């Protein structure tokens, strides 16, 4: 799937997730006291969901993120191949295990230099983790709808997809991709509109 589609699907799904579990605090629509902290939280959340939605294609030098990273992506694609570790459950698990470690390392290094971290930084870093993880999951789910499918159980090479029959899935960059992305956005938009009317 194209980077632009991943970004749109990830961000739209991010709106749904936030409206259900309120990761970033109370919703902006209808909120009585909009604080700077709330806006900063939302900005961090959506930036990171967007980043996560593009991240798995770090293994493709020709992808949106791959273009930005240049040789880093070329190396990863050369070593791992496109749609391998970065599109699998193992990749998600390794990433999730590394995240708290990374968080602790940064906290430790800063503390050693005499910077004591405000609790806000710690909670913001949890928000970053959940947002990136959610973006990645949405990326893999969206790729599962393409002809190629995704190797969820990599290093096992079996590709999974939805619908299970690959002939019913679409090829990246063709019109069904456009239709799916826009239908999803319109449905969510209508859902939000309806919920405002009802309230
Ligand atoms: Zn992908």
């Amino acid at each position: 799937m194209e980077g632009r589609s991943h970004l749109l699907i990830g961000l739209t799904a991010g709106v749904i997730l936030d409206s259900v579990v309120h990761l970033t605090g109370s919703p902006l629509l209808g909120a009585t006291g909009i604080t700077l902290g709330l806006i900063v939280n939302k900005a961090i959340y959506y930036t990171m969901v967007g980043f996560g939605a593009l991240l798995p294609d770090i293994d493709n030098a020709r992808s949106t993120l791959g273009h930005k990273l240049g040789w880093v992506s070329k190396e990863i694609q050369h070593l791992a191949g496109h749609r391998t570790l970065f599109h699998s459950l193992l990749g998600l698990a390794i990433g999730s295990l590394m995240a708290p470690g990374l968080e602790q390392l940064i906290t430790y290094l800063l503390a050693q230099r005499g910077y004591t971290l405000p609790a806000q930084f710690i909670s913001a870093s949890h928000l970053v983790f959940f947002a990136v993880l959610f973006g990645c999951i949405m990326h893999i789910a969206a790729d599962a709808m393409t002809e190629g499918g995704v190797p969820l159980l990599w290093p096992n090479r079996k590709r999974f997809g939805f619908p299970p029959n690959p002939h019913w899935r679409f090829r990246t960059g063709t019109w069904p991709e456009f239709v799916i992305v826009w239908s999803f956005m319109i449905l969510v938009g209508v859902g939000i509109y309806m919920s405002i009317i009802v309230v």
Side-chain angles (χ1 to χ4, degrees):
M1 204 175 244
E2 288 174 357
R4 188 182 38 184
S5 306
H6 278 303
L7 206 53
L8 293 175
I9 287 186
L11 291 177
T12 312
V15 173
I16 302 178
L17 179 75
D18 195 32
S19 67
V20 176
V21 295
H22 302 297
L23 271 175
T24 61
S26 45
L28 285 183
L29 292 167
T32 40
I34 297 172
T35 59
L36 183 64
L38 184 65
I39 295 183
V40 170
N41 262 1
K42 302 238 180 238
I44 295 177
Y45 171 74
Y46 285 107
T47 311
M48 289 299 129
V49 169
F51 172 67
L54 296 174
L55 186 59
D57 278 347
I58 195 171
D59 63 8
N60 178 2
R62 293 204 319 236
S63 71
T64 309
L65 189 66
H67 271 300
K68 294 221 163 29
L69 292 176
W71 66 269
V72 178
S73 260
K74 280 208 183 92
E75 244 355 270
I76 293 175
Q77 185 171 11
H78 186 67
L79 285 172
H82 180 41
R83 285 201 189 176
T84 55
L85 174 66
F86 290 90
H87 287 69
S88 72
L89 294 175
L90 182 67
L92 287 176
I94 293 176
S96 305
L97 286 175
M98 278 167 63
L102 209 63
E103 201 175 284
Q104 295 219 316
L105 180 71
I106 294 171
T107 313
Y108 171 76
L109 288 176
L110 286 173
Q112 261 203 335
R113 282 162 182 73
Y115 299 106
T116 38
L117 286 171
Q120 218 176 347
F121 170 83
I122 307 289
S123 60
S125 62
H126 292 327
L127 181 63
V128 167
F129 166 67
F130 284 118
V132 173
L133 180 67
F134 181 70
C136 289
I137 292 172
M138 287 315 297
H139 179 113
I140 295 172
D143 271 353
M145 291 188 291
T146 62
E147 246 177 15
V150 281
L152 271 188
L153 300 179
W154 190 87
N156 185 315
R157 287 178 183 278
K158 183 171 165 42
R159 296 274 185 126
F160 295 85
F162 184 84
N165 183 344
H167 296 299
W168 293 357
R169 305 201 290 258
F170 61 88
R171 194 182 290 261
T172 295
T174 54
W175 66 266
E177 174 170 330
F178 182 82
V179 173
I180 287 173
V181 172
W182 281 93
S183 319
F184 182 53
M185 287 172 60
I186 291 168
L187 274 176
V188 172
V190 169
I192 293 172
Y193 180 73
M194 298 294 273
S195 69
I196 297 170
I197 298 281
V198 170
V199 170

